[in-house]
Amino acid sequence: MLDKVAPTVRSPRSGFATARAALADGADPVALALDAADRAQAAAGDGIFTALVPRAEVERKAAAAAARARAGEALPLLGLTFSVKDNLHVAGMATTLNCPVVSMAPQESALAITRLEAAGAVLIGKNTLDQFATGLNGTRSPEPLCRNALDPAFIPGGSSSGSGVAVAAGIVSFSLGSDTGGSGRVPAACNGIVGLRPSLGLVSTRGAVYNSRLLDCIPIFATNVDDASEILGLIAGYDPLDPWSRRDADAIGTAPMPASSARLAIPRRDQMRFFGDADAEAAFAANLDRLRGLGFTLEEIDFAPFEEAGRLVFQSALVAERLVEYEEIITTHRDAIHPAALAAIEPGRGYSAKQAFETLYRMRELKHAAEIALADFAAFVVPTVPTIYTIDEMLADPMVRNGVMGTYTYFVGPMDLCAIAAPGAPARAGLPSSLSFIGLAGQDGVVSGLARQFQRQV
């Protein structure tokens, strides 16, 4: 049995509204940044960060931003702080993928990070992750394990575990992660915050270490929908240097907007699974009742195509794509890799080129099926996770239970959808449930608008 530690108390000083109110009252943005740096340092032994920006560097960057603001430059993120998952490059900091033998030395930061700093935000540190971003639970990491911000007995969710906890614990104002099969939404669900997965190509992934170039995106963690959407608006846009960037990225609305339809799709009741968690099932029903109370009509659709698309992410030749980034590492440093991470990467060696093409063809067919199924709905609504496990439960059955966490998230990438997760009614052990609003590519503003309506009702 793992020893429990006291949960980190969420600090209101990290929120957007609080920081801006403090600035309006004359607070020093440098002091706000240093306060966050001190909170991060106090949590340095809690498995949330792989590295912290030195306090003197935080002070220097915050002072530079403050000077720009005094000179009349508009800095929408002045006074706000953030952290990033340690598979996103930051110039001058090692990128480790949470693996002790990996130490990349990037010369340039990821474009999303550059844009945030240009808007006045100050980076505090790099967050832990399920090693190589291969997991949805947060325990595929070196010790000390990152723990749930609300109850340390429970998993934090992964693979962007530290990114979710850093926000939920009030250490930083917001954070960035990566999302292949749910890593930008599962940690949000586990820690009671918002996780926003943008449409593929809406945010440049230049400067990321990929798990899958076909499916990866950079998600945002924040305490509420408006904050997450504001960050999306600042980092979204066409990047001519990123071959995966959408040509229409600048035309896609990112701010929460009203839906043109009051119809929401939900999975057929007989196809839903909560893996014995009656509290999670009851919380989902309560969340749907809230949507009905807001005037929405809920209609069941066939979940089978979505479930099949989800299986492709980790049970098909798509797994071989991970070898592009990681084959040399797992070959030369096998003993340094977490066994569960190795078990998630190595099966890629067993697939043929023929199987890869067959998978890509099927992925295209299922994407088309999603377009047809969701064409007349404002969004598809599902639980973000079907249950949440304690750390002990996850470690007792790490492969099966990790897969359980992706039941309602895996399909978003291969079907080319966008999604946002927002906290809902209480579920297991009093932890909040989470509802995901999922839309066709380019409907980012619509799903955020729906999530904002829902979050205000909770």
Side-chain angles (χ1 to χ4, degrees):
M1 181 76 174
L2 291 169
D3 293 333
K4 295 183 182 181
V5 296
T8 308
V9 177
R10 182 176 298 179
S11 169
R13 294 170 293 178
S14 62
F16 284 31
T18 302
R20 286 166 174 166
L23 290 176
D25 288 340
D28 180 4
V30 177
L32 294 178
L34 290 176
D35 189 31
D38 290 341
R39 293 195 296 273
Q41 184 59 53
D46 295 342
I48 300 170
F49 295 92
T50 59
L52 297 176
V53 177
R55 196 175 192 275
E57 181 69 3
V58 171
E59 184 174 21
R60 185 188 69 79
K61 289 192 172 183
R68 289 164 55 203
R70 287 194 299 271
E73 188 174 347
L75 298 180
L77 301 184
L78 183 69
L80 301 182
T81 57
F82 72 109
S83 56
V84 300
K85 190 174 182 177
D86 195 8
N87 62 349
L88 300 178
H89 288 323
V90 175
M93 297 185 77
T95 302
T96 74
L97 312 175
N98 209 13
C99 181
V101 299
V102 176
S103 184
M104 305 176 191
Q107 300 301 305
E108 294 184 359
S109 296
L111 180 60
I113 296 169
T114 301
R115 287 177 170 172
L116 293 170
E117 291 182 325
V122 176
L123 182 69
I124 298 300
K126 303 199 76 177
N127 295 121
T128 192
L129 60 147
D130 278 315
Q131 202 174 71
F132 301 106
T134 56
L136 281 180
N137 67 86
T139 68
R140 298 178 176 183
S141 306
E143 294 284 354
L145 292 181
C146 182
R147 292 173 175 272
N148 189 292
L150 303 177
D151 186 334
F154 285 85
I155 61 170
S159 63
S160 309
S161 51
S163 298
V165 171
V167 172
I171 297 172
V172 293
S173 309
F174 65 94
S175 67
L176 302 182
S178 70
D179 189 321
T180 304
S183 300
R185 292 156 284 154
V186 171
C190 291
N191 292 280
I193 59 172
V194 167
L196 187 161
R197 178 192 163 107
S199 296
L200 289 169
L202 179 57
V203 175
S204 173
T205 53
R206 181 158 54 95
V209 180
Y210 296 97
N211 202 347
S212 166
R213 291 202 179 198
L214 294 173
L215 306 178
D216 281 356
C217 68
I218 296 178
I220 300 153
F221 296 96
T223 56
N224 62 67
V225 173
D226 285 339
D227 293 352
S229 296
E230 180 178 348
I231 298 304
L232 178 60
L234 291 167
I235 63 175
Y238 176 62
D239 175 13
L241 300 182
D242 177 7
W244 303 94
S245 184
R246 294 177 63 105
R247 293 287 300 184
D248 64 347
D250 294 326
I252 292 175
T254 58
M257 65 181 69
S260 59
S261 170
R263 298 173 66 205
L264 298 173
I266 58 174
R268 270 180 21 205
R269 185 186 302 270
D270 65 304
Q271 294 174 314
M272 298 201 69
R273 294 183 294 163
F274 295 91
F275 301 89
D277 189 340
D279 290 336
E281 187 170 6
F284 181 61
N287 291 333
L288 295 186
D289 284 342
R290 285 195 172 97
L291 291 175
R292 293 186 184 97
L294 289 168
F296 291 102
T297 300
L298 310 183
E299 301 178 31
E300 293 185 356
I301 64 171
D302 185 9
F303 188 62
F306 298 89
E307 191 170 36
E308 181 185 351
R311 288 195 296 270
L312 294 181
V313 179
F314 297 110
Q315 299 178 44
S316 78
L318 286 180
V319 175
E321 190 183 9
R322 301 178 191 182
L323 297 172
V324 175
E325 294 279 6
Y326 305 141
E327 184 167 37
E328 182 178 352
I329 296 172
I330 68 171
T331 299
T332 58
H333 301 290
R334 187 181 186 87
D335 292 343
I337 299 170
H338 192 286
L342 187 65
I345 298 170
E346 202 164 36
R349 290 172 166 167
Y351 291 99
S352 68
K354 175 177 177 289
Q355 289 173 308
F357 280 112
E358 289 171 343
T359 299
L360 292 175
Y361 298 159
R362 186 55 181 155
M363 187 166 70
R364 181 67 180 184
E365 291 167 353
L366 291 168
K367 174 179 179 291
H368 184 59
E371 291 170 348
I372 294 172
L374 302 181
D376 296 327
F377 294 98
F380 188 29
V381 179
V382 299
T384 305
V385 294
T387 186
I388 183 171
Y389 295 108
T390 66
I391 289 177
D392 288 329
E393 288 169 338
M394 181 59 66
L395 293 178
D397 194 359
M399 302 307 291
V400 170
R401 287 176 175 158
N402 181 81
V404 166
M405 300 304 292
T407 301
Y408 299 111
T409 63
Y410 281 156
F411 61 82
V412 169
M415 286 179 144
D416 193 18
L417 305 171
C418 60
I420 185 167
R428 183 178 177 186
L431 296 176
S433 63
S434 179
L435 206 61
S436 280
F437 297 85
I438 299 166
L440 299 174
Q443 294 298 301
D444 300 77
V446 173
V447 296
S448 290
L450 293 167
R452 180 171 65 176
Q453 282 183 271
F454 172 74
Q455 190 178 29
R456 286 177 174 175
Q457 284 291 112
V458 174

